[in-house]
Structures are given as structure tokens and as C-alpha cells.
Amino acid sequence: MQNFLDMGLDQAILKNLTLLSFETPTPIQKECIPLVLEGRDILASAPTGTGKTGAFAIPLANHLINDKNAYVLILSPIRELAIQIKSAFHQFLGKKNFIPSALLIGGAPLSGQFKQLKSNPRLIVGTPGRINEHVEKRTLNFNKITHVVLDEIDRMLDLGFDIQIKSIMEKLPQDHQTLMFSATLPQSIKKLAHVYL
């Protein structure tokens, strides 16, 4: 059975996975991690609780460690999930691999987010509405983004974020990796995949 050791991950990531008691990748992680490391675009579907966050956060944390030009943008439907995703990244990266990051969610003061954005964050996690608000205020641009994740895209569409998602995707550099994760695969998501992947 394949384990994390066979995936070509950085030793720092492997050490942190061991500390977190991550021993065997879940099926979604086993499928996705090698493809993300290769730079492939992905549309992945798996039920909630099957390790989808690890499926993108582990290999993207690997990119952030090994490529100083890697900049990651992650869109999440709700702020609670955005907080969890950012926390997962910090766990996978560990204390020795500090990556400047920003958490851009509604209900939090803009002033603190402006400060985070001034630190040239290489990891940006947020909700579509607040991310768009920063773009409109010109406190955020996507010039350096190399990887974008649309997490729980089915929920984002259910919550009516399709216009914000379209606006964000249109502003990204042409050369970037796109990862889409969803619990379900309705026709609307398949159509988005044809446009963005």
C-alpha cells in the first residue's frame, strides 16, 4: 500500500505528517497528491470527512517550501472552513517553515487583513466575498498567484458565489494550477471545470 514516503514529499513535510499521526493517505489523498506535485489541474469529488483538505494542502505546502516563487490562493465557502484550512497548512509546514499568510474572511476587521496583505503573503485563504472586497479596494492583486484551490465549490455555488468566483478566476495569471474540490459533481460544476481546468 502506498504511503506518504513514496510520494516524493519534502522531508520536513514527512516529519510533520508523522508528528500529526498521518500514516496512510486516504483514497482522495492517494489520488490527488502526486498529481498536484506534478502541476496538474484537478477536479476531485469525495464526501466530507475523507481528507480533501490534506489532498491539496499537503502537496501545496510542499510547493511553498521548495519553490520561493509559489503563491497559493484558496477559496472557501465559509469562514470556519477557511480558518481550518489555514491551520492545516501551518501544521503541515511546521514551525520551522514559516510562510507569510493571510486569512481574508467576512466578519473580521479589515484593518488586520490589510496588515497581513502588506507582508507579501504566499498563502492566502479566504471567502470569495471578502477576497473580492480586497480586490476592489486594491489591497490585493493576483499577479504572483501560481496555484488556486476552489474548495467545496458545490457549497460556494449553493451560497451564490458564482459571480465572485468568475471575477476572481478572470483576474488570475494565465499560467497557474487550478484545483477544484467538491463533495458532489452536479452539471454546474462540470461546466465550471471545462472553463477553468
Side-chain angles (χ1 to χ4, degrees):
M1 180 178 286
Q2 188 182 36
N3 60 33
F4 292 110
L5 289 169
D6 304 323
M7 292 182 168
L9 293 164
D10 188 276
Q11 286 300 315
I13 300 281
L14 291 172
K15 183 180 178 182
N16 293 327
L17 290 174
T18 301
L19 291 172
L20 294 166
S21 299
F22 276 60
E23 295 171 4
T24 305
T26 65
I28 188 81
Q29 292 167 357
K30 195 186 299 183
E31 292 285 331
C32 293
I33 290 173
L35 296 175
V36 179
L37 291 173
E38 287 174 18
R40 303 274 293 276
D41 283 2
I42 287 177
L43 170 60
S45 176
T48 301
T50 54
K52 287 200 294 291
T53 300
F56 64 79
I58 292 169
L60 289 179
N62 198 83
H63 281 311
L64 287 167
I65 288 175
N66 290 304
D67 180 1
K68 301 305 179 196
N69 294 314
Y71 283 77
V72 175
L73 172 68
I74 300 172
L75 304 184
S76 164
I78 57 172
R79 60 187 184 177
E80 291 81 7
L81 181 58
I83 292 167
Q84 287 174 23
I85 290 169
K86 186 168 178 278
S87 174
F89 265 92
H90 287 302
Q91 288 181 312
F92 297 140
L93 288 163
K95 291 178 181 176
K96 291 183 180 178
N97 292 293
F98 173 75
I99 301 290
S101 60
L103 181 66
L104 308 180
I105 54 175
L110 281 169
S111 57
Q113 295 177 7
F114 293 150
K115 189 175 179 181
Q116 292 174 56
L117 289 169
K118 284 180 180 174
S119 71
N120 187 31
R122 293 179 53 214
L123 170 64
I124 299 170
V125 186
T127 48
R130 181 51 63 96
I131 287 173
N132 262 303
E133 191 175 343
H134 279 285
V135 171
E136 288 166 6
K137 291 181 182 296
R138 298 189 177 180
T139 51
L140 172 64
N141 68 62
F142 302 132
N143 295 345
K144 295 180 179 178
I145 297 297
T146 53
H147 306 78
V148 61
V149 179
L150 305 175
D151 190 31
E152 296 206 9
I153 184 130
D154 49 350
R155 280 187 79 186
M156 285 198 278
L157 295 181
D158 288 343
L159 291 168
F161 284 130
D162 44 336
I163 293 170
Q164 288 93 336
I165 292 168
K166 185 172 185 284
S167 175
I168 290 166
M169 296 301 286
E170 286 174 349
K171 292 178 177 68
L172 291 170
Q174 192 167 4
D175 186 20
H176 68 270
Q177 182 180 16
T178 303
L179 312 175
M180 295 172 65
F181 287 81
S182 179
T184 59
L185 277 182
Q187 199 60 36
S188 58
I189 290 177
K190 291 178 183 175
K191 285 181 182 175
L192 275 183
H194 282 298
V195 175
Y196 297 132
L197 302 187

